């Protein structure tokens, strides 16, 4: 959803004392390493998440000697904050005051080489345990905080996604799951990742008739974290610079979440576990287009009934595209290729330049993987299947463009509004779903 950061979400606005009361500081200082917007103090210096993750990986790396790319030790980042020389980037980290003594070993995946197995098991158990807070007992996201907005009467709450962004970023920069995938292609790796994410899907699911704010927040959390884990499955994506990985995540997570729902719905319809008027909402719930009410108080002052123009079932749930999936009955590999083609195309067009070039090359790799898959499995007339995939993609893009136009209208008349505690977080909602 295309959003702008309203004045009420700025640190200079005195109408949000709750931010101060909760100790949330809206810092706009730049990273001391790459000169991009910083996140906080990491290992003794104010840096962004990407440089923090780079320093942590460099500390645990088996490489002890690095060569300067220009052989003069004077490399600098690009205007976009991208480093091409690891040696000079690490030197800049040290110059900025980052110190390996500040690394918390019990937070790092490499701690197994530093702690006993007993301590590791105990720490991991404590780390993964969810405290019995009111939020967790009620099924509310612990990673998204809704803050009171006192800028005007009946204003939508201010959304703080700092914890969610931190968690998702860590998933993509520091993958926990290491696969022994042998000679698997990148497309096969991503397909296996999608299957893992959808492995919890239940056959007998309940119909959900009311979507609450808590449901929205849980969907945001699931989509962003699942996208990060899925992207980390590809060795090709793992080879990208950290800032590129974060930009991909930031751009595709909402669209990826919608596409994942679509593929799950298509599979359930093919198996007869989901009707033509229904959509899978989660692994254990589904929606009926004509029999659901949605709480929009987090995004708008208006009720769901007043906002129905913006929530046409076919457009919101991409039902026409789902029907084409059911007709084609694509394999997991084909569904994964479809998701990749849409998401990476959106990323390339959004950023342009070097990112668009990288996304184009990635799509070439995945297209070659799909060709090899068809040849290996002796698919007859697979060009017909490619045309069917292209039709599904075109249908998705058509419906997405309709949504973009409606969101633009909603923005002009200020009927759709989402405010964030940090202006940088609006970028995660900048590319409409």
């Amino acid at each position: 959803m295309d959003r702008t950061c309203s004045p009420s979400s700025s640190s200079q606005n005195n109408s949000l004392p709750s931010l101060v009361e909760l100790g949330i500081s809206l810092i706009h200082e730049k990273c001391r390493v790459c000169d991009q917007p910083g996140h906080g103090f990491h290992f003794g210096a104010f840096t962004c998440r990407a440089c923090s993750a780079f320093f942590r990986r460099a500390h645990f790396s088996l490489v002890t000697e690095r060569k300067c790319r220009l052989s003069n030790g004077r490399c600098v980042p690009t205007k976009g904050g991208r480093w091409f020389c690891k040696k000079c980037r690490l030197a800049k980290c040290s110059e900025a005051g980052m110190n390996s003594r500040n690394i918390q070993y019990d937070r790092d995946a490499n701690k197994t080489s530093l702690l006993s197995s007993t301590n590791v098991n105990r720490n991991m158990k404590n780390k993964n345990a969810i405290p019995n807070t009111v939020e967790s007992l009620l099924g509310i996201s612990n990673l998204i905080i809704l803050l009171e907005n006192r800028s005007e009467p009946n204003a939508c709450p201010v959304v703080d996604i700092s914890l969610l962004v931190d968690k998702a970023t860590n998933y993509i920069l520091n993958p926990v799951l290491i696969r022994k995938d042998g000679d698997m292609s990148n497309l096969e790796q991503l397909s296996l990742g999608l299957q893992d994410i959808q492995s919890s899907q239940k056959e007998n699911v309940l119909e959900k008739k009311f979507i609450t704010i808590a449901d929205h927040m849980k969907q945001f959390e699931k989509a962003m974290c699942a996208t990060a884990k899925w992207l980390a499955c590809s060795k090709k994506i793992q080879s990208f610079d950290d800032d590129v990985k974060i930009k991909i995540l930031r751009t595709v997570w909402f669209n990826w979440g919608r596409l994942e729902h679509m593929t799950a719905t298509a599979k359930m319809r093919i198996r007869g576990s989901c009707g033509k008027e229904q959509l899978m909402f989660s692994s254990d719930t589904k929606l009926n287009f004509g029999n659901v009410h949605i709480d929009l108080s987090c995004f708008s002052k208006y009720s769901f009934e007043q906002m129905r123009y913006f929530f046409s079932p076919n457009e919101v749930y991409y039902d026409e595209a789902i029907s084409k999936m059911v007709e084609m009955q694509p394999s997991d590999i084909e569904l994964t290729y479809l998701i990749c083609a849409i998401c990476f195309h959106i990323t390339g067009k959004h950023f342009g330049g070097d990112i668009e070039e990288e996304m184009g090359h990635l799509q070439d790799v995945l297209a070659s993987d799909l060709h090899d898959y068809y040849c290996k499995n002796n698919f007859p007339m697979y060009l017909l299947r490619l045309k069917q995939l292209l039709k599904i993609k075109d249908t998705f893009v058509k419906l997405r463009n309709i949504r973009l136009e409606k969101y633009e209208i909603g923005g002009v008349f200020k009927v759709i509004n989402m405010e964030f505690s940090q202006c940088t977080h609006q970028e995660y909602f900048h590319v409409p779903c």
Side-chain angles (χ1 to χ4, degrees):
M1 289 177 282
D2 199 357
R3 302 287 179 263
T4 57
C5 194
S6 68
S8 63
S9 61
S10 169
S11 61
Q12 297 177 350
N13 193 322
N14 295 324
S15 62
L16 290 175
S18 55
L19 296 180
V20 178
E21 293 168 4
L22 291 174
I24 297 176
S25 176
L26 305 184
I27 301 175
H28 298 285
E29 187 176 348
K30 291 185 177 181
C31 171
R32 301 294 175 83
V33 178
C34 66
D35 207 36
Q36 295 300 295
H39 167 253
F41 283 92
H42 302 277
F43 313 119
F46 192 89
T47 69
C48 62
R49 297 184 185 89
C51 290
S52 168
F54 166 78
F55 184 77
R56 177 183 288 270
R57 289 198 308 276
H59 173 75
F60 288 106
S61 174
L62 298 178
V63 179
T64 56
E65 295 185 7
R66 296 179 173 83
K67 293 183 179 180
C68 173
R69 187 161 185 171
L70 298 180
S71 301
N72 60 9
R74 299 178 182 177
C75 299
V76 295
T78 64
K79 290 183 179 180
R82 186 175 181 181
W83 283 88
F84 292 94
C85 178
K86 293 183 179 180
K87 180 179 178 64
C88 291
R89 186 181 189 183
L90 185 58
K92 185 66 176 179
C93 289
S94 299
E95 181 184 331
M98 300 179 78
N99 195 311
S100 59
R101 289 177 297 180
N102 294 321
I103 290 180
Q104 300 177 33
Y105 291 94
D106 61 340
R107 291 181 58 196
D108 198 276
N110 291 285
K111 63 186 177 183
T112 51
S113 62
L114 303 169
L115 302 174
S116 68
S117 59
T118 302
N119 287 335
V120 168
N121 292 333
R122 184 185 300 116
N123 288 339
M124 290 302 292
K125 182 178 180 180
N126 294 334
K127 178 180 178 181
N128 294 327
I130 300 177
N132 288 324
T133 61
V134 174
E135 289 82 359
S136 63
L137 290 174
L138 295 177
I140 301 174
S141 170
N142 286 279
L143 300 179
I144 302 177
I145 302 172
L146 301 181
L147 306 171
E148 182 181 2
N149 188 346
R150 300 179 183 176
S151 61
E152 58 181 271
N154 301 319
C156 297
V158 176
V159 182
D160 186 339
I161 60 172
S162 302
L163 297 175
L164 175 56
V165 170
D166 285 346
K167 185 172 183 178
T169 301
N170 185 60
Y171 277 141
I172 193 171
L173 297 185
N174 303 291
V176 176
L177 182 61
I178 306 298
R179 297 184 182 279
K180 295 181 179 179
D181 45 28
D183 296 327
M184 289 176 62
S185 69
N186 280 274
L187 186 59
E188 290 172 326
Q189 292 163 5
L190 290 169
S191 177
L192 188 57
L194 179 63
Q195 293 175 52
D196 285 346
I197 291 169
Q198 295 184 333
S199 62
S200 61
Q201 179 64 59
K202 298 179 180 178
E203 284 297 320
N204 298 316
V205 297
L206 300 175
E207 183 177 308
K208 195 173 185 64
K209 296 186 178 181
F210 185 77
I211 301 178
T212 66
I213 291 300
D215 292 326
H216 289 302
M217 300 303 110
K218 287 167 63 178
Q219 288 294 306
F220 289 166
E221 178 181 331
K222 176 187 174 183
M224 190 179 294
C225 290
T227 304
K229 293 178 180 179
W230 177 75
L231 290 169
C233 292
S234 166
K235 288 184 177 180
K236 177 65 177 177
I237 295 176
Q238 287 180 26
S239 70
F240 291 160
D241 287 346
D242 289 347
D243 63 325
V244 175
K245 297 177 190 175
I246 294 174
K247 285 179 178 178
I248 296 174
L249 172 64
R250 193 174 72 203
T251 309
V252 309
W253 74 274
F254 216 139
N255 286 282
W256 187 93
R258 181 63 69 199
L259 287 161
E260 190 277 323
H261 279 297
M262 291 168 59
T263 59
T265 300
K267 290 178 180 180
M268 292 290 278
R269 287 186 184 180
I270 291 171
R271 295 199 293 266
S273 300
C274 184
K276 291 183 178 181
E277 298 297 321
Q278 294 175 322
L279 171 87
M280 296 309 302
F281 183 74
S282 66
S283 61
D284 55 4
T285 57
K286 58 187 177 183
L287 305 176
N288 186 305
F289 295 161
N291 190 28
V292 64
H293 180 84
I294 304 175
D295 184 351
L296 300 176
S297 59
C298 190
F299 318 104
S300 177
K301 299 178 183 179
Y302 300 92
S303 68
F304 177 63
E305 287 71 21
Q306 293 172 309
M307 296 284 287
R308 281 193 179 275
Y309 167 77
F310 297 95
F311 292 92
S312 168
N314 183 41
E315 298 161 12
V316 173
Y317 303 122
Y318 295 89
D319 187 54
E320 184 180 349
I322 294 174
S323 297
K324 292 183 183 298
M325 288 183 186
V326 174
E327 180 182 351
M328 177 186 175
Q329 298 193 19
S331 66
D332 287 316
I333 287 287
E334 290 172 317
L335 286 173
T336 302
Y337 178 78
L338 176 66
I339 293 174
C340 290
I342 293 172
C343 288
F344 299 143
H345 173 76
I346 291 174
T347 302
K349 290 298 182 182
H350 181 66
F351 290 106
D354 292 341
I355 301 294
E356 185 171 20
E357 186 177 340
E358 292 235 44
M359 293 302 100
H361 179 63
L362 175 58
Q363 291 184 82
D364 289 341
V365 171
L366 296 173
S368 177
D369 291 343
L370 180 63
H371 171 76
D372 292 342
Y373 163 76
Y374 281 141
C375 293
K376 181 180 178 180
N377 291 276
N378 297 316
F379 271 80
M381 301 291 292
Y382 74 78
L383 287 178
L384 177 60
R385 298 191 68 81
L386 283 174
K387 289 181 178 180
Q388 290 177 300
L389 286 174
L390 183 59
K391 286 183 179 180
I392 298 173
K393 177 186 175 183
D394 290 343
T395 302
F396 179 91
V397 172
K398 178 190 70 175
L399 296 173
R400 180 174 178 269
N401 287 337
I402 294 175
R403 297 194 72 191
L404 292 180
E405 293 175 0
K406 288 190 174 182
Y407 279 129
E408 185 175 356
I409 294 173
V412 171
F413 291 98
K414 298 182 179 179
V415 296
I416 300 177
N417 185 36
M418 194 169 182
E419 301 180 12
F420 299 91
S421 61
Q422 296 188 34
C423 284
T424 54
H425 289 163
Q426 70 176 332
E427 297 173 353
Y428 284 84
F429 289 80
H430 183 71
V431 180
C433 49

